[in-house]
Amino acid sequence: MPSPRISETNCLVKPNLKDMSLTELETFISRFGKQKYRARQIMKWLYQAHAGSFEDMTDLSKAFRNEISDAARIALPEIVETRVSKDGTKKILFGLEDGLSIESVLIPGKNHWTVCVSTQVGCQMGCAFCMTGRQGFKRNLLPSEITGQITRLRSDMPEGENIKNIVMMGMGEPLANYENTVKAIRIITSEIGFGFSHRKITISTCGIAPMIEQLGKDICVNLAISLNAPDDITRGRLMPINKKYPLTTLLDACRNYPMPGRRMLTFEYILIAGVNSSADSAEKLARLLRGMRCKLNLIAFNEFPGSIFSAPSLDEMQAFQQILLDHHYTAIVRASKGSDILAACGQLSGQRSQRG
Ligand code: SF4
């Protein structure tokens, strides 16, 4: 159960109901002599009716609302800034209670939005092609801060629009904040939470092999692996995690990941000119993934201030894709959305825009 914490000003901060699972909430309200079904009522208020205060929870007695508001609080990240790309992508900057910031991205589809949420403030994984990695690591997000990005964006959405897919590919490595990420997913998929199907949720990881195996045992969501190289030497230069979990270990963990029905693993491959985008790299990649039920997303490197890499030409990218298609892989060249507002893959920093 989340316990009270000490705030910046040394006050004891009451626990946030939005950090509690259903079981934790049941235990919490039992101290007021309340039965378990009350916890389900509260969950529905929090995640389906977007209640921002205890006063909103009109099917609870006034006395109980007073008791619970003396002992707990409801807190969410606040939207600080929204930037809109020329392609319709939106980047949302959120302020957290301790003054730190994170970003989410809303990506437009035909009739819906996909939201890319953050799971950490910064990231300790240090991938060379990623602006978030350059910022260093500040802290893990709490469950309330992960689900809160979705709550805020959903309640801000115009009538008739909705979020259909959730991808955990924003700031941070979700599997390095395992407990809070899984708790958030359980709330997102619960029928008394947001009610999303597991099939609509994707976790992206840089390749923490043991946690991939653990995730497969705990929860069944789509898995995307940020691969980015066909051999250990190149991958080790781009992604320090590869030194701890080299490709053989990573791919073994991927093979053990349960993928029910017709679901496939996704391998993300950021193409970087002169590093991993040659025909030879494509051939090696085809050999590396042989026999795996997977699809490949090919993404041109997105530049950011201070980045040392550049994207290959479109011709080079198409030649890379063609080699994979010739080897009978599903390989898609993904258009990077929102790069003009630094909202594309690898460009999030959690900082306010610089306006002239
Ligand atoms: S790519 Fe992902 S794991 Fe790597 S530094 Fe960026 S946020 Fe972290």
Side-chain angles (χ1 to χ4, degrees), residues 80-81 83 91 93 101 103 349-355:
V80 174
E81 183 182 78
R83 297 189 69 200
K91 182 166 79 163
L93 181 74
S101 305
E103 285 171 327
S349 66
Q351 288 172 357
R352 254 177 193 277
S353 58
Q354 307 288 316
R355 294 185 197 276

Side-chain angles (χ1 to χ4, degrees), residues 57-316:
M57 302 180 183
T58 46
D59 56 1
L60 306 180
S61 73
K62 188 140 183 43
F64 178 37
R65 277 184 268 156
N66 287 341
E67 277 178 320
I68 198 169
S69 66
D70 283 344
R73 69 204 164 95
I74 302 169
L76 284 175
E78 298 291 341
I79 295 179
V80 174
E81 183 182 78
T82 301
R83 297 189 69 200
V84 184
S85 157
K86 54 186 183 228
D87 64 26
T89 301
K90 297 182 186 179
K91 182 166 79 163
I92 300 94
L93 181 74
F94 285 97
L96 306 177
E97 284 186 293
D98 57 3
L100 295 174
S101 305
I102 50 164
E103 285 171 327
S104 312
V105 180
L106 274 173
I107 304 144
K110 268 192 189 140
N111 303 309
H112 64 266
W113 294 88
T114 293
V115 63
C116 176
V117 301
S118 294
T119 51
Q120 296 182 310
V121 188
C123 185
Q124 69 266 61
M125 295 299 153
C127 304
F129 49 80
C130 174
M131 187 156 167
T132 311
R134 292 271 185 99
Q135 311 287 307
F137 174 71
K138 304 240 170 43
R139 69 170 172 85
N140 284 327
L141 290 185
L142 298 165
S144 59
E145 294 167 329
I146 300 172
T147 60
Q149 296 166 64
I150 301 162
T151 304
R152 285 283 186 225
L153 295 173
R154 279 178 120 197
S155 48
D156 236 35
M157 221 153 243
E159 186 79 28
E161 293 191 21
N162 60 42
I163 292 172
K164 200 163 156 200
N165 301 300
I166 297 170
V167 293
M168 297 192 159
M169 293 186 190
M171 295 169 64
E173 162 55 54
L175 300 186
N177 182 14
Y178 188 80
E179 209 178 299
N180 290 346
T181 297
V182 168
K183 199 195 258 191
I185 292 175
R186 292 208 162 110
I187 290 169
I188 292 166
T189 53
S190 162
E191 37 93 29
I192 52 168
F194 293 139
F196 272 78
S197 158
H198 287 89
R199 289 194 306 275
K200 299 292 176 190
I201 299 170
T202 301
I203 281 194
S204 173
T205 177
C206 66
I208 307 180
M211 301 320 291
I212 291 175
E213 304 240 15
Q214 189 61 46
L215 185 73
K217 289 177 192 147
D218 288 343
I219 209 159
C220 180
V221 291
N222 299 315
L223 185 66
I225 299 99
S226 183
L227 191 65
N228 309 314
D231 60 78
D232 281 322
I233 293 176
T234 314
R235 194 165 192 269
R237 281 190 199 129
L238 294 173
M239 305 179 73
I241 190 74
N242 198 75
K243 298 191 176 90
K244 196 160 182 194
Y245 304 113
L247 282 167
T248 339
T249 313
L250 171 59
L251 295 182
D252 278 349
C254 293
R255 283 188 194 95
N256 291 335
Y257 191 79
M259 297 296 290
R262 295 161 54 129
R263 284 204 238 174
M264 286 194 268
L265 290 169
T266 302
F267 288 102
E268 310 277 348
Y269 195 103
I270 296 176
L271 285 156
I272 305 172
V275 176
N276 64 359
S277 58
S278 65
D280 183 48
S281 292
E283 290 288 354
K284 273 193 195 162
L285 184 60
R287 282 198 296 278
L288 181 74
L289 300 181
R290 191 172 290 150
M292 294 193 77
R293 195 146 56 92
C294 65
K295 61 180 174 186
L296 284 128
N297 282 343
L298 308 177
I299 307 152
F301 172 71
N302 291 300
E303 292 182 23
F304 53 82
S307 61
I308 51 167
F309 299 123
S310 58
S313 66
L314 190 57
D315 281 354
E316 198 177 346

Side-chain angles (χ1 to χ4, degrees), residues 32-58:
F32 308 108
K34 297 296 174 192
Q35 290 173 288
K36 287 183 174 179
Y37 80 93
R38 291 287 181 199
R40 296 177 71 84
Q41 276 178 303
I42 294 172
M43 290 288 272
K44 285 184 182 174
W45 277 114
L46 292 175
Y47 298 105
Q48 297 182 350
H50 305 308
S53 77
F54 296 100
E55 280 309 299
D56 295 337
M57 302 180 183
T58 46

